[in-house]
Amino acid sequence: MTREEIIKAVKEHDSEQVKFAVADMDGILRGKSISKDKFIKSLDDNIGFCNVVFGWDANDAVYDNSKVTGWHTGYPDSLATIDLSTFRKIPWNNNIPFFLGDFQNDEELSEVCPRSLLKRISAKCKELGFQPKFSNEYEWFNFRETPQSLKEKDHQNPTPLTPGMFGYSILRSSLESEYFNDLFDQLRAFEVPLEGLHTETGDGVYEAAIEYTDVLEAADRSILFKTGVKEIAYRHDIIASFMAKWNINLPGCSGHIHQSLWDKNGEMNLFYDASGDLHLSKLLEQYIAGQLYCLPHILPMYAPTVNSYKRFVAGSWASTTVSWGIENRTTALRAIPAGKTSTRLETRVPGADINPYLAMAAALASGLYGIKNNLSLDISPTKGNEYTQSGNKALPKTLKEATDAMKSSDVPKELFGEAFTDHFIKTREWEWDQYSKQVTNWELQRYFEII
């Protein structure tokens, strides 16, 4: 749709409000409803949005270590830009017009804004003559709870939507068919089209794959998928959780990234080579080499929370080492030789708790690093079970360890710029500090009486 067509559609809509949102550092959509008149005015003047959205954590606690924003800045409004290309209507909310935004026109915040970062890296990719096509797939758990009931339980022992291990079960997906069908149909109506939706192994867990598209649109769809699922779930008195690992006895939740590079016209998949070994191109080998090299230096971009690292355990379907393989789901990277149009790389490190803009920016930037530096793929592909093999470097085991590694490396600054890297590292240090101060139930049960 053209700018004029979008404005006309908004003006003619029955609702007097327009919703728009921006993504914060944790991949949470922060937004508001505005009037039609304010929306139209903002298209020329941008719109004020308190810069605290990059100065607080997932629970609205303000950072005490940020240079970009903080009490020292007084938390002024910054200039947010509404991206007309993201126009959608919310089908489960009276088809209210909805837009995503970012801070591309704000000199300071544009450096740290996750969506703006991905736009910059995508632009660099296209300058090299490549069209990046991406998609996410997500696993998440569903619970027969409401926000109020979950609070009353102190977030302990939530009731799963369905019991038992029913991976790929047609039977279990029919048990909550109204919710299941709403997810597939209403997300598509929200222009977040799914390739597939099915049950996974675990109590009340689903998995969805989002359709492939340009990397920025893929990240937009990804973040809208997570919020959309949660909002649709609310309407069925269900809580949907994208926590990476909510239960020690159940598998974690992934947020795998599928990706390929195409020619500048988007007509030829450059990861496919008819004459190459397994039809994998030299370009793909360099891209894999770049991701493997950069992975230990940028892991918090894929694993941003304290809980993320609880997922990295052997036998959990999650990676534990810097490794790759052909159609191997025990490695960090899975190369998929699937023909001219579908040959791709799956980055299996991310959990469902990612900020998709940052995770896709990390995958694309590190892959391009391998291409630009002509890196050789020196790590041999894993054959068989990577969990039982030795030789490949282990991933950091905590957010602190991963953040310290990122802080001591020059690679992140080269990939993402100094301003973003400094701010992001500070947010992860804050996250670890908040965790370190807590007294957990495990500590009380273990030490309270006996020690």
Side-chain angles (χ1 to χ4, degrees), residues 143 145-156 158 239:
F143 300 94
E145 302 285 353
T146 66
Q148 187 62 35
S149 70
L150 202 58
K151 182 179 180 181
E152 290 170 354
K153 290 183 173 184
D154 197 24
H155 291 78
Q156 300 293 313
I239 292 287

Side-chain angles (χ1 to χ4, degrees), residues 300-306 308-309 353-355 399 424 428 431:
M301 302 280 280
Y302 298 126
T305 72
V306 171
S308 302
Y309 298 79
D353 56 348
I354 54 168
N355 179 332
L399 178 61
F424 179 72
R428 296 312 96 190
E431 192 75 10

Side-chain angles (χ1 to χ4, degrees), residues 251-379:
C253 293
S254 72
H256 299 159
I257 299 171
H258 291 253
Q259 66 234 255
S260 56
L261 298 182
W262 293 60
D263 67 356
K264 63 181 181 180
N265 297 319
E267 297 174 352
M268 181 183 296
N269 183 353
L270 301 178
F271 282 0
Y272 175 83
D273 181 355
S275 63
D277 185 27
L278 293 174
H279 304 310
L280 303 181
S281 70
K282 180 68 174 178
L283 190 79
L284 174 54
E285 291 183 359
Q286 293 173 335
Y287 190 93
I288 292 172
Q291 284 206 9
L292 292 174
Y293 176 80
C294 295
L295 179 56
H297 303 273
I298 61 172
L299 184 58
M301 302 280 280
Y302 298 126
T305 72
V306 171
N307 181 251
S308 302
Y309 298 79
K310 305 295 177 67
R311 180 175 154 266
F312 298 151
V313 293
S316 67
W317 300 96
S319 50
T320 58
T321 59
V322 179
S323 54
W324 78 284
I326 307 294
E327 281 288 14
N328 194 324
R329 287 182 166 89
T330 68
T331 54
L333 306 181
R334 171 187 169 220
I336 305 172
K340 291 182 179 180
T341 60
S342 299
T343 293
R344 63 195 185 275
L345 180 68
E346 179 188 31
T347 303
R348 294 180 56 81
V349 178
D353 56 348
I354 54 168
N355 179 332
Y357 295 111
L358 300 187
M360 289 189 188
L364 181 56
S366 58
L368 293 176
Y369 182 93
I371 293 171
K372 288 185 288 186
N373 290 283
N374 197 26
L375 296 187
S376 297
L377 186 51
D378 296 328
I379 297 176

Side-chain angles (χ1 to χ4, degrees), residues 33-100:
S33 291
I34 57 177
S35 68
K36 290 179 180 179
D37 289 342
K38 188 174 182 66
F39 164 75
I40 293 169
K41 184 176 182 296
S42 74
L43 299 183
D44 293 321
D45 301 337
N46 295 304
I47 186 168
F49 206 113
C50 181
N51 73 8
V52 74
V53 293
F54 296 138
W56 62 14
D57 64 16
N59 292 137
D60 296 3
V62 294
Y63 304 135
D64 62 6
N65 60 349
S66 171
K67 294 179 182 177
V68 175
T69 181
W71 294 117
H72 63 286
T73 70
Y75 295 113
D77 275 357
S78 295
L79 294 178
T81 302
I82 295 176
D83 188 338
L84 290 183
S85 71
T86 66
F87 175 43
R88 289 161 165 82
K89 296 178 182 177
I90 308 173
W92 55 87
N93 192 6
N94 302 319
N95 282 310
I96 290 174
F98 177 89
F99 297 86
L100 287 167

